[in-house]
Amino acid sequence: MNSDFVDLRSDTVTKPTPEMREAMAEAEVGDDVYGDDPTVNKLQEKAAEMLGKQAALFVPSGTMGNLIAILTHCARGEEVIVGDKSHIYVNEAGGMAALGGVYPHPVPNQTDGTLRLEDIRASIQPDDSHRTITRLVCVENTQNMCGGVVLSVDYTQQVAQLAKENNLKFHIDGARIFNAAAALDVDIKELVAPADSVMFCLSKGLASPVGSMLAGTEAFIAKALRLRKMLGGGMRQAGVIAAAGLVSLEKMTGRLKQDHARARNLYEALKQVPRLRLEAEPSSNMVYFRLDDSVKLTESQVVAEMKKYGVLVDWSAPRQFRLVTHYWVDDAGVEKTAKAFADVLSEESAG
Ligand code: TLP
């Protein structure tokens, strides 16, 4: 642990590991906009190989990776089917519409994170001059707002089949796709094979300080490269951060099950805390719960009280909290968190 705080606000808070800092200090670099940063090139090749795709592109963030994917697949005025609880729809500032003139068509995310196939089918626009042209369907794996739930290989194949039958492209927001593969115990290649494009983040559970990858065919990545430039995502001596990304791929993908086990331990421990109402058992690295109606503290007050105990948490919706385990949360951190919640809530009932 590199700080006295246990930080469960997100896995985005992960600081680079000592091995990453060393790799970053020693990274061989060039100008990536000229395509001659050897470390970025190595990272892109490694990511493409691990995902079983022809090519990959290093991008500054998951949000930019998703936006580039959408703008690569869709022209202005075309439509994208997305989950109503997806990061793309809720948390990316409407980038597809604002910057690309692309129209989102939300369909309900089920509690298991899926979009029902019949809902996708019913959302595809007919060939009619009054209507937009449906071009793309996106799913998110793991699905964050549904609890970090995992979409199966079988479901992913079914979405791909439906997309193919209807001449649609298929993109996976796989910000945490390595968590999904670890939870399913499958090779990541199998999980992403049915998709035309996949974005995943190095900067979440894989602990890199910055960066995400976008993968697909060579033709898709060539088009994506121009869009990355257009959006200001060309990063010059980016090998300094790509070096951490390589450590993520080589060393961090194999340890995610530990984070999942800790999330389950945290869930069990929090279940014992009176007046916390736990949601579904975690399937990856996220624990969601609500405050019982009898709790008088507001969400922000709970956050402030927990901080006094050295635990950083965040609320995700009114009365609802999301805690995320990651590399820098150990067993002692899990215990400390559960104890802090118990103390904060018992002080309140005593006070
Ligand atoms: N998610 C963040 C917040 O923005 C909510 C988090 O703490 O979980 N796709 C998914 C599924 C994500 O959860 C996120 C970030 C992104 C894309 C965007 O990645 P960044 O933050 O790199 O732009």
Side-chain angles (χ1 to χ4, degrees), residues 9-12 60-64 66 86-88 91-92 140-144 173-176 199 201 203-204 211-212 286 322 324:
R9 291 172 298 167
S10 181
D11 46 11
T12 60
S61 68
T63 301
M64 193 189 283
N66 282 331
S86 65
H87 196 275
I88 288 177
N91 274 329
E92 298 187 4
E140 185 176 308
N141 197 8
T142 63
Q143 216 300 343
N144 184 350
D173 173 351
R176 299 181 178 85
M199 184 284 292
C201 295
S203 62
K204 298 196 166 63
S212 295
M286 296 181 182
R322 179 195 72 164
V324 188

Side-chain angles (χ1 to χ4, degrees), residues 62-83 86-90 92 94-105 135-139 169-173 197-199 214 220 223-224 227 231:
T63 301
M64 193 189 283
N66 282 331
L67 179 62
I68 291 173
I70 293 168
L71 303 192
T72 302
H73 289 304
C74 305
R76 295 186 75 80
E78 292 185 338
E79 192 164 303
V80 182
I81 297 171
V82 283
S86 65
H87 196 275
I88 288 177
Y89 185 60
V90 179
E92 298 187 4
M96 72 166 90
L99 303 172
V102 178
Y103 200 63
H105 187 133
R135 182 65 67 203
L136 174 68
V137 57
C138 300
V139 300
K169 296 292 182 190
F170 175 29
H171 172 69
I172 300 179
D173 173 351
S197 57
V198 189
M199 184 284 292
L214 182 60
F220 170 85
K223 213 172 153 194
L227 277 155
L231 295 170

Side-chain angles (χ1 to χ4, degrees), residues 287-299:
V287 182
Y288 275 86
F289 58 87
R290 291 180 177 277
L291 300 175
D292 186 82
D293 290 345
S294 66
V295 176
K296 292 186 194 63
L297 292 172
T298 64
E299 305 82 17

Side-chain angles (χ1 to χ4, degrees), residues 266-273 276-282 287-290:
L266 182 60
Y267 169 86
E268 292 301 333
L270 292 173
K271 244 167 70 174
Q272 309 306 318
V273 177
L276 291 186
R277 302 283 165 254
L278 273 291
E279 297 186 1
E281 201 172 315
V287 182
Y288 275 86
F289 58 87
R290 291 180 177 277

